[in-house]
Amino acid sequence: MTSPHFPHTETPSAELHGVSLAYPKGDLVLKGLDWQLLPGQVVGLLGRNGAGKTTLLEALLGLREPQAGTVQLFGQDAQLLDDATRARIGYVPQHSDLFEGFTPAQLLAYFRSFYPRWNEAKVEGLLSRWDIARDKPIRKLSGGQKQRLSIIRALAHEPDLLVLDEPVASLDPAGRRDFLRELVGEVLDRGATVVFSTHILSDLERVAFNLAFMSEGRIALQAPLDDLLEQVRAFTGTVTEMATLMTRLNAQPLKRTPLEAGRERVLARLPAAATVPVGVAVDRVNLDDLFAELT
Amino acid sequence: MDPTHFVHINTGSPEPIYRQLIEQVKRRVAAGQLKAGDEIPSVRELAQALAVHPMTISKAYSLLETEGVLERRRGLSMVVAAQHQRAQSTADRVELLRPTLEKAAAEARQLELSKTQALQLFKSILEEAP
């Protein structure tokens, strides 16, 4: 969908092709992974603990070099970004990487020197709204305050690509809602591309128009959440019945779960506007179900 | 119109958020709470109030426009369409409730509840303070 808020541009904000990555002496974490983030998309990255979400986001940012495959940000090799392109990226890591001995004011002044753009009004507004003492050493801030400071640092230079790894884990519900409003503002103001991982599915459901499900080292499925809720259904029946039904509906099975007595549960994506025959046992699914079945 | 109270959304539902928005606006127009010419919040206002992706809001508004519930005015916010001068008839409003009740009826049959038991529940829910 193209609209005044989301002008269509050709270059993806991030593009990964055939990316494989293993840690020394470890198994492959990413296995020939393909992924694309387009301008203005807000993509929620879903995966179980240990699925490799953090590794994927680090590889996307060029912080880890894959053994195979290519990673491009705004059309440039992620390992060889020029300064102007680097300045278009904002990152909130899962674990705070702030300099603990600095005060928030010192930290922000330091980062400010690296960027051609810096929205001082936004920084000041967020520091006040999020109740962060400007002159207290960072090591004395609470976990939630450090996380908010990390978010402010990532938003200050008005990035076109914002990568957030579990950005709200230490925030209370009011803090999370406020953070989501900021994200929506980033999208409204600049058509920023946002990718974020979180286990708080209700947050994803609000702001992530697109969802990416990570499983076995790949993006197993990426689609608009609306489409998934409207097209994915859970069916239960004998294996033979299910096979016939899938063919008849031209459905794409996403997950099969064997049940007792030759029966199975099949989660399948139906073509848009498909109608399920009368008498077939079918359930709608919500985001929790999709997470449980597809990651 | 205050965007924070214009509509509310439920997360964790199998119903996509844009669908929830459409159905709520339609019900409020049917009930006459929103009338022809009433301004509705802009995409920006509602997206920020609900902390929802703006594309979700614009998708709902576009479909409401296609269905003749809302009208777009050049350079101005959208308004409730001209034909919605007053609340719909009781019969029409009752009809809007049919899909939800059909679903409830199907579930009641699956649960092998009697008519009396199911109606009893609906009655007591209706009588609960909102």
Side-chain angles (χ1 to χ4, degrees):
Chain A
M1 192 183 288
T2 305
S3 78
H5 290 308
F6 311 100
H8 179 77
T9 55
E10 297 300 325
T11 314
S13 305
E15 192 160 30
L16 289 79
H17 278 301
V19 169
S20 292
L21 195 150
Y23 290 111
K25 294 181 197 164
D27 293 334
L28 277 177
V29 184
L30 309 180
K31 299 176 186 165
L33 180 144
D34 296 320
W35 202 19
Q36 199 182 52
L37 304 174
L38 296 174
Q41 279 189 335
V42 177
V43 179
L45 177 61
L46 292 169
R48 300 287 167 108
N49 290 328
K53 299 187 295 293
T54 297
T55 306
L56 170 57
L57 295 178
E58 288 173 349
L60 180 148
L61 289 159
L63 301 173
R64 285 187 189 283
E65 194 171 1
Q67 279 88 20
T70 58
V71 181
Q72 291 203 312
L73 296 174
F74 301 105
Q76 289 186 9
D77 186 329
Q79 298 287 321
L80 306 165
L81 294 183
D82 60 34
D83 287 349
T85 305
R86 202 180 298 277
R88 297 177 67 188
I89 298 161
Y91 173 43
V92 178
Q94 187 170 17
H95 299 292
S96 165
D97 64 344
L98 307 168
F99 308 128
E100 301 267 306
F102 279 38
T103 65
Q106 288 167 337
L107 180 91
L108 292 165
Y110 173 73
F111 279 105
R112 180 179 186 158
S113 62
F114 295 127
Y115 294 103
R117 258 194 327 208
W118 190 267
N119 189 334
E120 191 64 31
K122 171 175 278 188
V123 169
E124 285 302 313
L126 288 175
L127 284 173
S128 301
R129 225 167 77 212
W130 289 354
D131 199 21
I132 297 168
R134 289 166 176 74
D135 298 312
K136 195 170 167 181
I138 288 171
R139 66 171 177 279
K140 291 192 176 165
L141 300 181
S142 71
Q145 285 171 327
K146 285 182 192 173
Q147 199 159 35
R148 285 194 286 261
L149 180 58
S150 185
I151 292 168
I152 294 171
R153 189 199 61 172
L155 296 179
H157 60 284
E158 304 191 317
D160 296 318
L161 170 63
L162 195 51
V163 178
L164 307 139
D165 193 0
E166 294 280 353
V168 294
S170 327
L171 302 190
D172 62 23
R176 284 180 8 231
R177 185 63 58 87
D178 207 28
F179 161 71
L180 294 180
R181 290 209 175 92
E182 270 318 300
L183 273 193
V184 168
E186 296 294 300
V187 175
L188 282 164
D189 293 339
R190 290 193 311 289
T193 310
V194 181
V195 54
F196 76 116
S197 70
T198 178
H199 285 110
I200 302 172
L201 298 179
S202 60
D203 288 352
L204 274 183
E205 198 172 340
R206 285 175 179 272
V207 300
F209 199 82
N210 287 276
L211 293 181
F213 294 87
M214 192 175 180
S215 174
E216 298 181 359
R218 288 197 183 89
I219 299 297
L221 176 69
Q222 177 163 334
L225 173 59
D226 291 347
D227 292 358
L228 293 177
L229 293 178
E230 289 178 339
Q231 296 165 9
V232 175
R233 295 288 182 270
F235 300 93
T236 310
T238 67
V239 173
T240 336
E241 284 167 357
M242 288 298 104
T244 315
L245 184 65
M246 291 301 116
T247 312
R248 180 170 167 195
L249 291 173
N250 193 20
Q252 172 199 0
L254 299 171
K255 175 81 184 284
R256 295 173 181 278
T257 313
L259 304 170
E260 290 170 346
R263 293 168 66 79
E264 65 175 349
R265 174 183 154 91
V266 179
L267 197 75
R269 187 170 179 184
L270 310 183
T275 42
V276 176
V278 179
V280 172
V282 57
D283 287 315
R284 299 186 66 171
V285 296
N286 65 12
L287 181 53
D288 288 31
D289 302 325
L290 290 169
F291 179 82
E293 304 248 18
L294 298 179
T295 63
Chain B
M1 173 151 319
D2 177 2
T4 46
H5 299 111
F6 180 60
V7 282
H8 68 272
I9 56 174
N10 293 316
T11 51
S13 162
E15 197 75 6
I17 290 173
Y18 86 94
R19 275 274 144 220
Q20 297 182 28
L21 296 178
I22 289 175
E23 295 308 322
Q24 282 181 56
V25 171
K26 279 191 190 169
R27 284 197 289 271
R28 295 191 55 184
V29 169
Q33 290 170 12
L34 291 171
K35 288 199 187 67
D38 283 354
E39 280 191 14
I40 58 159
S42 69
V43 168
R44 166 176 286 269
E45 287 169 336
L46 196 56
Q48 293 215 297
L50 299 175
V52 163
H53 195 288
M55 209 140 79
T56 303
I57 312 286
S58 54
K59 185 172 171 184
Y61 281 6
S62 295
L63 286 161
L64 283 164
E65 189 187 7
T66 309
E67 294 187 34
V69 180
L70 299 181
E71 280 172 1
R72 205 175 289 273
R73 297 178 303 168
R74 192 183 298 269
L76 298 166
S77 55
M78 292 182 92
V79 293
V80 176
Q83 73 255 36
H84 302 286
Q85 297 289 345
R86 60 189 68 82
Q88 290 177 22
S89 70
T90 311
D92 287 348
R93 276 182 283 149
V94 166
E95 209 43 41
L96 282 178
L97 200 54
R98 179 181 291 277
T100 307
L101 290 184
E102 278 177 345
K103 196 162 154 278
E107 287 180 21
R109 282 191 288 270
Q110 282 167 359
L111 293 165
E112 300 193 358
L113 295 176
S114 72
K115 262 189 258 180
T116 321
Q117 286 161 329
L119 288 172
Q120 179 76 46
L121 176 63
F122 189 42
K123 189 160 176 283
S124 74
I125 290 170
L126 286 172
E127 283 163 357
E128 276 169 23

